[in-house]
Amino acid sequence: MNKKLFTSTFLAAALAISSPISMLQASTEGSFDDTGGVLATTNAIKDIEYQIMVQRATQLAIWAMPAVGMNDFITATRRDLGGDLNDVIYLSKPFDSKHGFLTANDVTAYSWASLTSEPGPIIIEVPAASDKVNYFGTVVNAWDQPIEDVGPAGADKGKGGKYLFLPPGYKGDKSKEELQKEGYLVYQTDTYQYGFSFRPVLSNGGTDADAAEYAQKIKIYYLADAANPPPTKYFDAAEKPYDCLPYYNFTFFEDINDSIQNNPIRPQDKVMVSLAKGLGIEKGKPFKPTERQKKAIEEGLSLAYASMQDYFIAPGKAMIPLWKKDNTLLSQWLVWNFAPGQPQSGFPYETEDSVLVDDRAGGSYFWITYLPKYLGSGTFYLTGLRDKKGDLLDATSTYKLNVPKDTPAKDFWSVIVYSMETKGFVRNAKRVGLSSRNKETMQVNSDGSYDVYLGPKAPKGKESNWIPTGEDFFLLFRLYGPESKTFYKTWVLGDIEKI
């Protein structure tokens, strides 16, 4: 897999792509009728077939963003671990900079898996909460749409459970109701492939080692094998350079093809799937695009990336200010701006008459995965894109963030640096974040607050409070166990200041 994302020159070129309309207006060829309408001749738009391929590549990439993110977990498990579908991946210690994962945290020993129900109904057996570990997490379909949450906040209420997923068109010997009576938590689904990511919640002195042991109690097997399940395979990714980031090159369209080939075509996706044929992607056929199609894919993908990046950083789109009064910003920190109704409906990114293509791409799955079915209050996220003056955070500057002593997190707070380019950790950084769990090694101010420094080099004497950057970046500030649902009405996190 080519892990090169883009060059700045290539991305700049994406923004300069001329539209067919502008080319038509610039052309001296063609004719006009008396009403001013254009009667385009065959020469009015140069190489219309190629221009249409570029446009379709752009829209296909934005449409398929969530499916690509899910497929990259499968790719990474196979390539980096030698595992496969239905295997459980876990961490014996949290992520670090060698791991490629969209906006993951560096304080949690996650577990996750990709699986398929194409051979038949499949079961994820989630262990009951122990006195030291329980799970917070979600099972999603191949489009990253939440199916169900697990653990104390999910369907099993912390008692553990057998989550049974019925494939599309399931017609088994037992009905859904009969299977429920047998103790299964049953879900009819519209894709064959699924994924899950579970975050362990530690208590009573629980450790990452406890979380790793707990992860190896997850079982995945088919309903047909329920009487005598074969052993589940487990892979520890803590020391492996596991990389499930999406990359905006030819592999992106290989991911789109894989998703189309390995799942049913849903009614809401038929139009886009039919347009994919013009780029060499067709259900039941090998993906072997011509050089001309590859060139169009590359050009269209650069524009798609630029569009999603713009959605991510543009004020009022993916994020909105948390602290604002009378149209005046009290702080540059932002909160996620989900499309109306999506948190309440479980983030399907579909309504009665629409598929919310841009909202789910640039608004979410361009930079995150595994939204929960039910939005809870266990963690609160703040996003930092700009410094106090409103400028985007950059690679060469050094910044300071003061974290007050009274930060309202019952468990702990955490601040992590992410690459603006990849939305993952800054590659090969000495550390990717700091948290109140590091207070034993961090310098503390006389008022009990902490100054966190962000930049390519640590300020002299401040190494223990420094997070390396070295490229354009953004921050996520997480409050684990916020003290209330309205804490932000009496508490404000100060701006990131350039020094």
Side-chain angles (χ1 to χ4, degrees):
M1 177 180 181
N2 183 356
K3 296 185 179 181
K4 184 176 178 61
L5 182 70
F6 268 139
T7 65
S8 58
T9 303
F10 186 47
L11 181 55
L15 299 176
I17 293 174
S18 299
S19 72
I21 295 298
S22 65
M23 286 188 289
L24 181 59
Q25 291 171 339
S27 175
T28 58
E29 300 179 77
S31 57
F32 295 81
D33 62 21
D34 292 338
T35 64
V38 179
L39 300 176
T41 67
T42 55
N43 294 324
I45 299 176
K46 303 299 183 184
D47 199 349
I48 189 170
E49 182 185 60
Y50 180 78
Q51 293 299 328
I52 290 296
M53 285 197 293
V54 171
Q55 290 189 21
R56 289 184 176 178
T58 299
Q59 299 306 327
L60 279 164
I62 296 171
W63 162 76
M65 185 71 251
V68 167
M70 289 294 98
N71 197 74
D72 282 328
F73 283 98
I74 302 172
T75 300
T77 296
R78 288 170 170 166
R79 181 196 61 230
D80 300 336
L81 301 178
D84 210 335
L85 294 163
N86 304 347
D87 295 338
V88 172
I89 319 305
Y90 70 94
L91 297 174
S92 54
K93 62 180 182 180
F95 283 129
D96 58 35
S97 64
K98 68 176 171 289
H99 297 107
F101 213 104
L102 289 173
T103 56
N105 70 55
D106 69 335
V107 295
T108 300
Y110 293 89
S111 61
W112 66 96
S114 303
L115 50 157
T116 178
S117 65
E118 188 167 12
I122 195 166
I123 296 163
I124 303 172
E125 192 171 324
V126 178
S130 73
D131 61 336
K132 292 186 177 181
V133 189
N134 67 77
Y135 271 145
F136 169 81
T138 306
V139 184
V140 302
N141 71 4
W143 284 89
D144 212 346
Q145 290 177 313
I147 299 172
E148 187 58 273
D149 294 342
V150 306
D156 63 272
K157 307 302 180 186
K159 298 178 181 179
K162 297 179 180 180
Y163 291 76
L164 172 58
F165 302 93
L166 306 179
Y170 168 75
K171 296 179 181 178
D173 296 332
K174 297 179 180 179
S175 67
K176 180 178 178 180
E177 291 72 23
E178 289 174 312
L179 291 166
Q180 288 173 329
K181 289 179 180 178
E182 293 182 11
Y184 294 107
L185 299 165
V186 186
Y187 303 89
Q188 179 65 65
T189 65
D190 61 356
T191 65
Y192 288 134
Q193 293 180 336
Y194 322 102
F196 70 73
S197 180
F198 300 157
R199 176 168 66 83
V201 179
L202 304 178
S203 56
N204 299 319
T207 65
D208 294 334
D210 294 321
E213 182 180 349
Y214 188 71
Q216 294 173 75
K217 295 179 181 178
I218 300 170
K219 297 178 182 179
I220 299 175
Y221 52 91
Y222 289 102
L223 179 62
D225 300 322
N228 186 26
T232 300
K233 293 181 181 179
Y234 304 92
F235 293 86
D236 183 359
E239 300 297 339
K240 304 286 187 179
Y242 185 95
D243 186 356
C244 62
L245 290 172
Y247 286 89
Y248 299 86
N249 50 38
F250 187 66
T251 64
F252 196 99
F253 271 72
E254 290 178 326
D255 288 331
I256 296 176
N257 179 66
D258 287 346
S259 183
I260 288 174
Q261 300 300 337
N262 296 317
N263 292 283
I265 305 304
R266 307 180 305 169
Q268 61 267 48
D269 299 323
K270 285 183 177 181
V271 170
M272 298 304 291
V273 170
S274 68
L275 296 182
K277 294 178 182 178
L279 295 167
I281 297 175
E282 188 169 353
K283 183 81 169 177
K285 295 184 178 181
F287 180 38
K288 295 182 178 179
T290 64
E291 290 303 312
R292 180 175 162 84
Q293 287 171 322
K294 287 182 179 179
K295 185 174 183 293
I297 284 170
E298 182 181 79
E299 194 171 331
L301 188 54
S302 68
L303 182 55
Y305 177 87
S307 173
M308 291 186 284
Q309 184 77 286
D310 177 72
Y311 201 106
F312 178 71
I313 65 175
K317 288 189 176 181
M319 282 162 279
I320 55 175
L322 176 61
W323 290 294
K324 188 176 181 180
K325 185 177 181 180
D326 299 328
N327 293 322
T328 300
L329 285 180
L330 303 180
S331 173
Q332 293 284 349
W333 288 98
L334 306 169
V335 289
W336 300 352
N337 183 32
F338 295 120
Q342 289 307 297
Q344 295 79 12
S345 57
F347 297 104
Y349 282 103
E350 294 176 14
T351 66
E352 187 175 332
D353 56 8
S354 300
V355 176
L356 305 179
V357 176
D358 290 315
D359 292 281
R360 75 182 184 188
S364 288
Y365 296 124
F366 177 55
W367 50 286
I368 55 178
T369 52
Y370 291 107
L371 287 167
K373 179 76 171 179
Y374 311 105
L375 203 60
S377 57
T379 310
F380 192 91
Y381 295 73
L382 293 166
T383 304
L385 297 177
R386 303 175 186 273
D387 66 16
K388 188 173 184 177
K389 293 183 179 180
D391 298 325
L392 288 169
L393 304 174
D394 68 69
T396 60
S397 301
T398 299
Y399 303 87
K400 182 178 76 171
L401 169 66
N402 179 261
V403 183
K405 177 183 179 181
D406 64 348
T407 298
K410 288 182 288 186
D411 298 331
F412 62 97
W413 57 261
S414 165
V415 58
I416 299 177
V417 165
Y418 297 101
S419 162
M420 180 59 82
E421 183 182 23
T422 69
K423 307 301 181 289
F425 300 134
V426 172
R427 193 74 67 181
N428 299 319
K430 180 180 178 181
R431 66 166 64 101
V432 298
L434 287 168
S435 75
S436 54
R437 288 184 170 181
N438 302 118
K439 63 183 180 181
E440 298 300 326
T441 57
M442 292 175 65
Q443 297 177 28
V444 60
N445 298 325
S446 58
D447 63 358
S449 67
Y450 294 88
D451 290 329
V452 175
Y453 295 88
L454 313 148
K457 294 183 179 179
K460 188 175 181 179
K462 303 296 183 182
E463 289 80 4
S464 63
N465 289 41
W466 167 64
I467 307 174
T469 56
E471 59 177 281
D472 292 348
F473 68 98
F474 67 99
L475 301 177
L476 285 184
F477 188 95
R478 293 172 170 92
L479 295 95
Y480 289 87
E483 291 181 354
S484 72
K485 293 183 178 180
T486 57
F487 70 87
Y488 53 86
K489 293 184 177 181
T490 56
W491 177 84
V492 178
L493 181 63
D495 278 321
I496 304 157
E497 297 188 44
K498 183 182 289 189
I499 59 174

